[in-house]
Amino acid sequence: MASRRLMSSRRQFVAMASGGALTLALTAAMTSSSRAWASPRFPSNPFTLGVASGDPRPDGVVLWTRLAPEPTSLDGMGGMPDSVVPVNWQVAEDSLFRRVVRAGGAEATPHLGHSIHVEVSGLRPDREYWYRFRTGDYVSSTGRTRTAPAIDAVLSSLSFAFASCQNVPEGHFTALRHMSRDDLDFVVHLGDYIYEGGAQGSIGRGHLPAREVFSLADYRVRFGQYKLDSDLQAAHAAFPWIVTLDDHDVENNWAGSHSQPDSEPDQDPEVFLQRRAAAFQAFYENQPLRLASRPEGPDMQLYRRLFFGQLAQLSMVDTRQYRDVQVTDPDDRHDPQRTMLGPEQEQWLLDGLGRSDATWNVVGNQVFMMQADHTDGPEVRWGLDPWDGYAAARQRLFDGVRDRGVENFVILTGDAHRSVAADLKIDFNDSSSATIGSEFLGTSISSGRDGQPTDALGEIWLRENPHMKFHNSQRGYVRCEVSPETWRTDYRIVPYVSQPGAPLETAARVHLEAGVPGIQQVDQ
């Protein structure tokens, strides 16, 4: 159980009978022409992909599983028939399910890959619960979850982790195994949950299918392979996850309706949108997302806001679906008409930050927001896929944060396969300009292979970008411990991923102080 304790008094809980479920089960609401399988009999365990929970609220969470006795079968059906399958679920106050407080039934349909998304409500805020599923003669593994604190709760602390970029052929997910044993309230995953390419690597974890994925069946197989990973399953079963996607969940460096093609047929925008629709559906089928995020063709609602008492507000943004295509001329990155978030999402983000009463205003973001000059000396070179390629949009956002008086502004970022802690400046080219917040860029789970404490690019970044205060290029995850007065970020790394069993180390601890913009201290 996480160490956080409410400073406000707790209300006495009145146990509710298991039949009093308040739930919205997406699959039960879906219209399906498939026949119902009233008494399912499976030749083997259908719960091979484990269980997960997500998007915690004060009164409930999303519970997820997917029936797939053969999760990498090439037809994408997971070894399931074209039938609707009844599934029962339970939520309890204890891991032995002696005190079941919610229970109900849902339907796993072929239309959604026999996935289950149950939105359980009526739970107590800021409490641990255990959950499981049953179908036929099989019972799933048990998951543990936690509801968010009450909106007005005064918290003494909050603990969470964030991660991104897990690539099966490039390494083992050892960092996720360590994460599963941590003391956390929730996990934020910032994208690149899967990789779309056909890489086989050199450690015996080659991609399935052994080629780049394009169709719904392809993406389902790829997700099946990833979710078979026992380290990933353990981390999902330990905490609720808050997820979003990035480029490799669809295709490398895609932007809106624009593909970055790896093969000729994928260059047509109409063809790419079909691929995007397939990728979005598979992503939804395999993640603990609410009904509001169920895709409609190539469109998926992923930006959303979660609250953790009065201590923290988390705004998850989508930096892929609404952005303009990457520029080819670096001068165009200052074009004020260009957008990273799209006008509607940008306004939503600024309005939410401006209205926030939370101590810490946190944004879950896919590509790094800080400026990063990639070359030594007076010459400058920028990456054009991150926010550096959308400099005018970044300036618009930073000006909006400053003008609204947003305090304790913190960005969480993935994608880059390296760790950086940096100050966010109104003018990155003027070190004396105002600091409006901090960014914590987290490394990958396995992408980039073993890595090393530093590399040539990291050395350049620290020399050329004085707002960067720490860099590391090993694999791992990031742990954050937050209180009303302080924020501590621990960069948790593993020395290798090419083999399983690596130990966990702390590369650095970075400290923030509430009310004082910018990084206050780095302990290495």
Side-chain angles (χ1 to χ4, degrees):
M1 180 177 292
S3 60
R4 186 187 73 257
R5 292 292 180 267
L6 286 177
M7 298 166 74
S8 58
S9 62
R10 300 175 182 266
R11 294 178 296 173
Q12 188 71 22
F13 178 72
V14 178
M16 301 187 69
S18 63
L22 298 175
T23 179
L24 177 61
L26 167 65
T27 49
M30 294 297 298
T31 300
S32 176
S33 59
S34 304
R35 66 187 186 281
W37 194 4
S39 301
R41 294 290 185 268
F42 300 95
S44 60
N45 180 19
F47 294 112
T48 58
L49 304 182
V51 299
S53 66
D55 276 18
R57 294 177 179 173
D59 70 336
V61 295
V62 182
L63 304 181
W64 173 92
T65 193
R66 179 180 162 214
L67 306 182
E70 299 173 14
T72 58
S73 61
L74 293 181
D75 63 0
M77 292 300 292
M80 292 292 292
D82 185 23
S83 303
V84 177
V85 181
V87 178
N88 294 318
W89 54 269
Q90 292 177 310
V91 177
E93 292 183 311
D94 66 300
S95 61
L96 297 178
F97 291 83
R98 291 170 177 160
R99 299 187 302 278
V100 174
V101 294
R102 288 290 182 272
E107 292 182 339
T109 69
H111 178 78
L112 287 178
H114 291 97
S115 61
I116 296 288
H117 300 74
V118 180
E119 297 188 20
V120 182
S121 61
L123 302 179
R124 300 176 70 194
D126 197 26
R127 295 294 187 277
E128 279 188 314
Y129 291 94
W130 285 259
Y131 62 95
R132 64 186 179 187
F133 300 87
R134 179 193 296 272
T135 187
D137 296 327
Y138 288 92
V139 179
S140 72
S141 56
T142 296
R144 180 181 62 184
T145 191
R146 189 180 188 96
T147 53
I151 295 294
D152 59 352
V154 179
L155 308 179
S156 61
S157 64
L158 185 72
S159 303
F160 68 92
F162 70 91
S164 65
C165 304
Q166 47 203 42
N167 193 330
V168 161
E170 294 201 337
H172 294 270
F173 295 173
T174 311
L176 290 176
R177 175 65 62 173
H178 288 295
M179 181 193 289
S180 73
R181 299 167 181 156
D182 210 331
D183 184 19
L184 305 172
D185 296 299
F186 59 90
V187 170
V188 178
H189 197 285
L190 295 169
D192 290 349
Y193 190 96
I194 64 166
Y195 276 67
E196 82 288 5
Q200 296 301 293
S202 59
I203 60 172
R205 285 164 62 90
H207 269 145
L208 297 175
R211 51 180 167 76
E212 187 166 355
V213 294
F214 291 91
S215 68
L216 177 57
D218 287 346
Y219 281 104
R220 283 174 170 173
V221 172
R222 187 62 54 85
F223 268 103
Q225 177 188 21
Y226 274 62
K227 295 188 79 70
L228 280 172
D229 187 278
S230 61
D231 296 337
L232 178 58
Q233 288 193 19
H236 268 300
F239 319 105
W241 282 37
I242 300 164
V243 302
T244 190
L245 52 74
D246 196 15
D247 56 337
H248 289 289
D249 298 293
V250 181
E251 182 198 37
N252 184 41
N253 286 351
W254 67 277
S257 61
H258 298 275
S259 167
Q260 298 293 306
D262 295 307
S263 60
E264 185 69 23
D266 207 37
Q267 291 181 345
D268 188 319
E270 291 187 8
V271 174
F272 174 68
L273 288 177
Q274 293 173 11
R275 181 184 189 180
R276 197 175 95 177
F280 281 10
Q281 177 163 338
F283 187 85
Y284 179 79
E285 290 173 354
N286 287 278
Q287 299 288 7
L289 286 163
R290 293 184 179 273
L291 175 61
S293 293
R294 180 171 63 87
E296 297 182 5
D299 301 315
M300 190 175 187
Q301 179 69 41
L302 284 168
Y303 66 85
R304 60 204 190 277
R305 190 166 285 123
L306 297 98
F307 303 91
F308 298 91
Q310 295 181 19
L311 187 55
Q313 172 183 285
L314 172 62
S315 301
M316 297 293 290
V317 299
D318 179 349
T319 62
R320 286 289 163 195
Q321 202 171 167
Y322 312 103
R323 66 157 74 187
D324 288 315
V325 68
Q326 295 90 340
V327 297
T328 55
D329 181 348
D331 291 339
D332 291 340
R333 65 196 194 95
H334 295 289
D335 182 348
Q337 300 303 313
R338 286 174 48 74
T339 181
M340 173 68 89
L341 301 177
E344 183 177 330
Q345 182 182 192
E346 185 177 305
Q347 192 65 48
W348 167 88
L349 177 59
L350 285 171
D351 287 348
L353 291 169
R355 291 194 301 265
S356 174
D357 293 324
T359 300
W360 298 96
N361 292 289
V362 189
V363 177
N365 163 68
Q366 290 76 61
V367 291
F368 61 80
M369 196 171 286
M370 61 191 171
Q371 182 170 286
D373 180 5
H374 284 53
T375 190
D376 274 321
E379 182 183 354
V380 293
R381 182 167 60 88
W382 318 109
L384 299 180
D385 184 65
W387 283 81
D388 270 340
Y390 301 77
R394 177 176 62 198
Q395 192 64 54
R396 198 163 54 240
L397 176 61
F398 282 12
D399 289 346
V401 167
R402 178 198 57 195
D403 294 347
R404 288 165 173 78
V406 179
E407 295 188 337
N408 305 322
F409 180 54
V410 179
I411 303 292
L412 314 177
T413 303
D415 180 72
H417 309 170
R418 57 186 65 244
S419 297
V420 174
D423 288 339
L424 298 176
K425 310 289 288 185
I426 280 290
D427 182 356
F428 283 106
N429 297 316
D430 178 3
S431 60
S432 66
S433 72
T435 298
I436 61 163
S438 304
E439 180 170 17
F440 296 115
L441 170 62
T443 188
S444 62
I445 293 296
S446 66
S447 303
R449 298 174 290 279
D450 288 340
Q452 51 192 323
T454 191
D455 60 10
L457 179 59
E459 292 173 356
I460 291 172
W461 274 15
L462 289 177
R463 283 195 300 268
E464 294 297 315
N465 304 280
H467 50 279
M468 296 186 186
K469 309 302 182 182
F470 164 76
H471 173 274
N472 178 279
S473 58
Q474 292 169 293
R475 312 284 74 84
Y477 69 94
V478 186
R479 186 185 194 278
C480 301
E481 183 82 21
V482 186
S483 78
E485 296 81 26
T486 61
W487 176 302
R488 191 189 80 200
T489 293
D490 292 351
Y491 282 98
R492 308 284 272 161
I493 58 95
V494 291
Y496 55 86
V497 293
S498 53
Q499 300 178 40
L504 187 69
E505 304 168 3
T506 300
R509 285 183 168 169
V510 184
H511 302 269
L512 307 180
E513 182 180 340
V516 183
I519 292 167
Q520 302 303 302
Q521 182 178 332
V522 179
D523 301 324
Q524 294 181 255

